[in-house]
Amino acid sequence: MKHIVAIDFGSSKVVTAVGITTPSGIKVVAYEEEPVTIGIKNGEITNDTRVEQNALLPTIRRAEEKIGEKITEAYVNISGKFIDCSETAYSVIRPRPDNDITEKELAEYTAKQFNRKFDNPHTCVFEALAQTFNVDDNIGYSREDVIGMSGANLEINYKLIYGNESIIEHRRKVLANCGIKMIKGIVSPIASARAVLSDQEMENGVALVDIGKGCTQIAIIKNNVTRFISSIPFGGESITNDIKQVTNLSSSWAERVKVEYGCCVEEVASESKKLILHGEGGAKEDEVELVLLTKVIEARISEILEAACFLIDQSGYGKKIPNGVVLTGGSCYLQYIQDLAKVILDRKVRLGAPMSSISPDSVEESFDAFSSTAVGIILEANQTRLSSSYTFVDRQSTNIKPSEEPVEKEDLFKEDHSEDNNDSKSSGIFGLFSKKKSKNTVTDTINFDRKESTEDTLIGEEENEPAFEEEVVRPKVEEKPTFKPEPKQKSKTKTKSKQDQDSWGLFKDIFSDNNEA
């Protein structure tokens, strides 16, 4: 039985996942993760030794115990905030025009793209994705259509994904120190897309938005081809930092409060509830108003979604994705993020995690939205669908010219710096859910026992109103989840201003009439 090993170097954790092929599909038999506090920033390894000793080795050893054999090779993710994407055309005159075009011939042309030269000698190609093929006068064919055709002039339009070569080298070095050979690198948003998107979505057209800790990554898939890749240099960690700055909480507590009570829509936040944090001995240390917490989260998530919307529109596929947007990553567990995304992105939105893409008897951890990248690496390693079959780690150097010099018709390594002139979404903090609050509210409290043990959980106790129960349950993402928690009851009823009514109308479909406060 051959094991497929995937290693995901994320900004918040390192994951070693192992899968096998079964009659019911890929079964994930081991999923081991270790948190990372120092050594990885925005998906790029910055401290090889710490990552190797504190995160990678422990996950490998635990995975080896579960599968009963030593891990010697692995597929890894490629991520980073400076990964870029551009188009280029590769044109060649075929020496034997009467011969059929074969898969092997196309693979050879793809391999040459990994040796392209850049102005920066440290830049290399991570992925070369063929978009369309032109054979003589036949234009715009797919890979499936062009195989078996014949002709003298072949032109392939590629989407090249590239970035700093150090991203690869650090991963290769850390793996080598653990006795593991790096087989292939798979760009993280491609892996995540492979894990959470349905076959129908990948065919019709869909955008994946993976909100990670250090950055948010975007992939657009249409006709089963990766059409666009991009990255936004902030994610869940930015939300935590904002909470820390506004509330003066420590980083660890800001993260815990975000995870347990994070909500993306100020409209549904209770104006009269506070999170009261108690230290050892019961002494009160900090308190956070829920409405303030929600304001901070809404502002940053809105910024991330606005940036994602801009990039999707700039990709040229904004109107070609009828299946809308799929959100994945840890931040998709924030309450009401799906509803906020529908307003900002103005598209269909669902939340995604590996569900139908893997065998139902896989380990439980593999079905979580946090596991999308690792599971997607296994799936893509088993059957290449959204990446190229060429292994870029076999290339000799980015500066070596290919043996057969191609005739370049057009090389579009350009960045589009055009500005978005749509001011309707950029007033204030996006101006989407502004609302005047009454200052005359009754303050209820939620008391937290603040202990250093990581085993301790946040326990809420309501003062004055025993009927209030704030049970924090992290929901599982289903294949097409709704993620519409019950709105929190406000303590007092008040009359809305005209501005309130207009703002509230954006989410009136979420609530029944008797819940409106």
Side-chain angles (χ1 to χ4, degrees):
M1 181 182 300
K2 181 176 176 55
H3 291 97
I4 305 171
V5 180
I7 296 178
D8 173 17
F9 293 97
S11 297
S12 61
K13 66 186 184 301
V14 171
V15 175
T16 297
V18 184
I20 59 174
T21 57
T22 69
S24 58
I26 290 292
K27 176 182 177 180
V28 181
V29 295
Y31 184 94
E32 300 295 331
E33 67 177 50
E34 196 70 29
V36 174
T37 55
I38 298 176
I40 302 180
K41 185 70 174 177
N42 296 322
E44 300 181 23
I45 298 175
T46 57
N47 190 314
D48 297 350
T49 301
R50 293 220 180 183
V51 171
E52 173 192 336
Q53 298 297 326
N54 299 340
L56 181 57
L57 269 176
T59 63
I60 291 173
R61 297 296 175 253
R62 295 199 299 267
E64 289 175 336
E65 290 179 5
K66 288 192 174 180
I67 66 176
E69 67 178 54
K70 187 174 179 60
I71 294 175
T72 59
E73 57 184 23
Y75 297 82
V76 303
N77 74 312
I78 302 299
S79 63
K81 64 180 181 180
F82 296 119
I83 290 179
D84 211 340
C85 177
S86 292
E87 296 179 354
T88 188
Y90 179 89
S91 182
V92 61
I93 299 176
R94 302 178 68 229
R96 297 180 177 84
D98 293 335
N99 288 0
D100 290 345
I101 298 172
T102 65
E103 183 68 51
K104 181 180 179 181
E105 180 183 353
L106 296 181
E108 291 175 353
Y109 297 144
T110 298
K112 296 180 185 298
Q113 309 311 309
F114 289 84
N115 288 319
R116 283 183 173 270
K117 294 189 296 183
F118 294 81
D119 292 338
N120 183 343
H122 301 294
T123 299
C124 71
V125 174
F126 300 141
E127 196 63 87
L129 305 169
Q131 305 292 297
T132 57
F133 299 79
N134 304 329
V135 182
D136 293 337
D137 295 330
N138 301 302
I139 299 175
Y141 279 66
S142 67
R143 176 182 292 272
E144 291 74 18
D145 293 332
V146 79
I147 293 176
M149 294 178 62
S150 59
N153 299 296
L154 174 63
E155 183 180 71
I156 308 174
N157 297 305
Y158 283 101
K159 189 78 71 172
L160 300 185
I161 302 170
Y162 55 94
N164 198 306
E165 191 171 20
S166 63
I167 297 175
I168 303 298
E169 297 308 320
H170 281 294
R171 281 162 165 74
R172 199 199 311 263
K173 178 182 175 182
V174 170
L175 289 170
N177 290 340
C178 297
I180 298 175
K181 177 186 177 182
M182 179 176 169
I183 303 176
K184 180 182 178 181
I186 299 173
V187 181
S188 291
I190 292 180
S192 297
R194 185 74 161 82
V196 306
L197 300 181
S198 67
D199 291 341
Q200 178 184 355
E201 288 171 333
M202 289 189 285
E203 181 178 350
N204 292 343
V206 66
L208 175 91
V209 178
D210 186 348
I211 307 177
K213 177 186 176 182
C215 60
T216 298
Q217 300 179 99
I218 300 169
I220 295 179
I221 315 296
K222 187 173 179 64
N223 295 328
N224 298 304
V225 175
T226 304
R227 304 294 184 179
F228 177 77
I229 292 288
S230 191
S231 180
I232 302 168
F234 40 85
E237 186 177 37
S238 299
I239 303 172
T240 303
N241 290 336
D242 290 348
I243 295 173
K244 176 183 175 181
Q245 292 178 9
V246 173
T247 64
N248 294 320
L249 294 176
S250 65
S251 296
S252 59
W253 268 93
E255 177 69 18
R256 292 182 67 184
V257 167
K258 179 189 75 174
V259 170
E260 302 294 343
Y261 281 91
C263 178
C264 295
V265 180
E266 183 188 345
E267 296 288 342
V268 300
S270 173
E271 300 173 13
S272 61
K273 294 291 189 296
K274 288 184 179 180
L275 307 182
I276 307 298
L277 308 181
H278 290 277
E280 293 185 5
K284 176 181 174 181
E285 293 190 3
D286 294 298
E287 64 178 46
V288 180
E289 294 181 2
L290 281 178
V291 67
L292 176 61
L293 176 68
T294 304
K295 282 181 179 179
V296 174
I297 295 174
E298 179 188 319
R300 180 61 76 172
I301 284 292
S302 296
E303 182 181 13
I304 292 173
L305 294 174
E306 287 279 359
C309 183
F310 174 80
L311 290 173
I312 291 171
D313 290 338
Q314 291 296 305
S315 71
Y317 285 87
K319 297 181 180 180
K320 301 176 183 179
I321 48 173
N323 282 95
V325 175
V326 175
L327 298 180
T328 192
S331 294
C332 76
Y333 286 112
L334 293 169
Q335 296 181 50
Y336 293 100
I337 189 172
Q338 182 178 11
D339 302 286
L340 178 63
K342 287 179 181 178
V343 174
I344 294 178
L345 299 174
D346 195 24
R347 294 175 173 90
K348 293 195 308 184
V349 177
R350 76 170 180 90
L351 308 181
M355 296 294 289
S356 60
S357 60
I358 54 179
S359 173
D361 56 347
S362 297
V363 295
E364 182 179 357
E365 297 87 349
S366 60
F367 295 104
D368 195 284
F370 289 96
S371 67
S372 298
T373 299
V375 171
I377 293 172
I378 295 176
L379 293 168
E380 193 68 13
N382 179 65
Q383 181 184 10
T384 301
R385 291 185 62 181
L386 300 180
S387 61
S388 64
S389 57
Y390 180 75
T391 306
F392 70 85
V393 295
D394 292 334
R395 63 184 173 77
Q396 298 299 314
S397 168
T398 54
N399 294 323
I400 295 178
K401 294 184 178 180
S403 56
E404 178 185 345
E405 190 70 26
V407 179
E408 300 279 350
K409 286 192 175 180
E410 185 177 10
D411 200 349
L412 303 178
F413 284 97
K414 300 177 182 178
E415 292 186 7
D416 187 356
H417 297 288
S418 60
E419 297 182 357
D420 186 6
N421 295 321
N422 185 3
D423 296 329
S424 62
K425 296 183 180 180
S426 59
S427 59
I429 305 179
F430 305 108
L432 288 172
F433 305 108
S434 58
K435 176 180 174 183
K436 294 181 179 178
K437 298 291 185 182
S438 172
K439 295 183 179 180
N440 300 319
T441 60
V442 177
T443 300
D444 298 324
T445 62
I446 303 171
N447 297 308
F448 286 89
D449 291 326
R450 188 172 189 174
K451 298 180 180 180
E452 295 301 324
S453 172
T454 57
E455 298 293 327
D456 186 43
T457 57
L458 298 176
I459 303 174
E461 294 181 0
E462 174 73 358
E463 292 183 358
N464 302 324
E465 287 187 7
F468 174 78
E469 295 181 1
E470 189 82 27
E471 181 182 2
V472 181
V473 179
R474 178 187 269 175
K476 274 192 174 297
V477 185
E478 299 176 355
E479 177 62 21
K480 291 189 177 181
T482 56
F483 271 32
K484 292 184 179 179
E486 290 296 323
K488 300 175 184 178
Q489 195 72 24
K490 297 185 181 296
S491 59
K492 284 187 176 290
T493 302
K494 62 178 183 176
T495 304
K496 292 182 178 297
S497 65
K498 179 63 168 61
Q499 181 182 4
D500 293 341
Q501 294 171 3
D502 292 343
S503 177
W504 182 263
L506 291 171
F507 280 92
K508 63 182 179 181
D509 60 318
I510 305 174
F511 308 102
S512 58
D513 293 337
N514 59 359
N515 282 331
E516 185 168 344

